Amino acid sequence: MSYVLHHAPDNASLIVRLALEELGVPYETRLVDRATRAQESAAYRRVNPAGLIPALETSDGVLFETAAILLWLADRHGRLAPAPCDAGRGDVLKWLVFVSNTVHTGLRMTFYPEKYVGPDPQAQAALLSTLRGPGETAMTLPRALALLDGFVATRDPDRAPDVLDLYVTVLLRWCALYPQGDTGWFRLGALPALEAMAQRLETRPSLRKAALAEGLGPTPFSNPRPAQPPEGSAL
């Protein structure tokens, strides 16, 4: 089985690329050029009607939504997630959905606040302040990451990575980089379990291959730099 990954550098398609590389399955990539807003084109919307990146062409049709793609790949290939009958399945599922619904969505709101509250700078600033606050009761990004750090601290560091690890490590990269010049709220060192996970993963040959393909540099997750992709634009 060969896949076609519709991607843009350092976008959510990177998470799927990591999974494909970790699985060692054949795939090809098709660039969705963000510089020309190709994700909004009629041609791309025939692939993914939501106009979002990524989309993955499979023998079962086109898949979209990052968490859905990851879980489908894991189940199809019998790796990267516990099987439905395994005891650890529930933990991976609940945290995978938490990451997708809470952390990824929260980051997207910080990247594109105008899409959620309109053009008013004060409304955008209020949204960002709320999302990045300490979150003693509200589910802010710092609180969500702290919860993830606590869960990861309970896991065996020597086990093979799963879809949750791959998803989270890319989100950590984005926390440190985007929006450019406005990431002071985030410090990976304050999340020791997540920091150790990022350092472990970026040494794996599969992840290094993906990082090279997208121009992410030698420490793409623990100490990231802006992408310098050979094709396309990350923004």
Side-chain angles (χ1 to χ4, degrees):
M1 182 185 301
S2 182
Y3 300 108
V4 177
L5 175 63
H6 296 260
H7 83 109
D10 208 12
N11 278 236
S13 50
L14 171 61
I15 304 164
V16 178
R17 187 195 283 265
L18 296 185
L20 293 167
E21 290 291 350
E22 189 66 25
L23 288 169
V25 295
Y27 71 98
E28 61 182 274
T29 59
R30 291 185 187 166
L31 178 67
V32 183
D33 189 358
R34 294 197 58 178
T36 63
R37 307 197 67 81
Q39 71 273 24
E40 299 175 1
S41 68
Y44 185 66
R45 286 184 183 273
R46 285 193 290 271
V47 177
N48 182 353
L52 298 173
I53 303 166
L56 184 70
E57 295 185 34
T58 80
S59 59
D60 289 353
V62 177
L63 303 176
F64 55 88
E65 291 297 320
T66 302
I69 296 171
L70 293 175
L71 190 57
W72 187 93
L73 286 170
D75 287 349
R76 178 56 58 97
H77 294 280
R79 290 178 53 203
L80 296 183
C85 59
D86 290 349
R89 175 79 166 191
D91 276 345
V92 170
L93 286 182
K94 69 187 181 186
W95 286 105
L96 182 67
V97 174
F98 176 79
V99 166
S100 177
N101 286 1
T102 303
V103 184
H104 194 169
T105 298
L107 286 175
R108 181 174 171 80
M109 294 171 77
T110 70
F111 302 158
Y112 312 107
E114 71 282 358
K115 294 185 178 181
Y116 296 89
V117 295
D120 181 11
Q122 290 185 328
Q124 293 180 22
L127 175 63
L128 295 179
S129 178
T130 298
L131 288 169
R132 298 167 175 173
E136 295 178 1
T137 56
M139 187 52 68
T140 64
L141 285 167
R143 185 179 177 208
L145 291 172
L147 290 175
L148 270 173
D149 190 66
F151 171 66
V152 170
T154 69
R155 309 188 85 191
D156 179 5
D158 295 324
R159 62 184 170 75
D162 57 28
V163 291
L164 179 62
D165 301 318
L166 302 178
Y167 204 151
V168 171
T169 200
V170 173
L171 298 188
L172 294 175
R173 169 182 170 79
W174 296 346
C175 287
L177 288 179
Y178 305 118
Q180 291 183 6
D182 189 21
T183 58
W185 67 275
F186 176 75
R187 188 170 68 86
L188 183 57
L191 304 162
L194 292 176
E195 181 178 40
M197 183 189 73
Q199 291 170 342
R200 288 194 304 273
L201 287 177
E202 68 190 8
T203 66
R204 295 181 68 82
S206 57
L207 274 70
R208 293 180 72 88
K209 182 178 178 182
L212 179 64
E214 300 203 8
L216 305 185
T219 54
F221 307 117
S222 68
N223 187 25
R225 70 182 191 193
Q228 298 178 324
E231 65 169 359
S233 171
L235 301 173

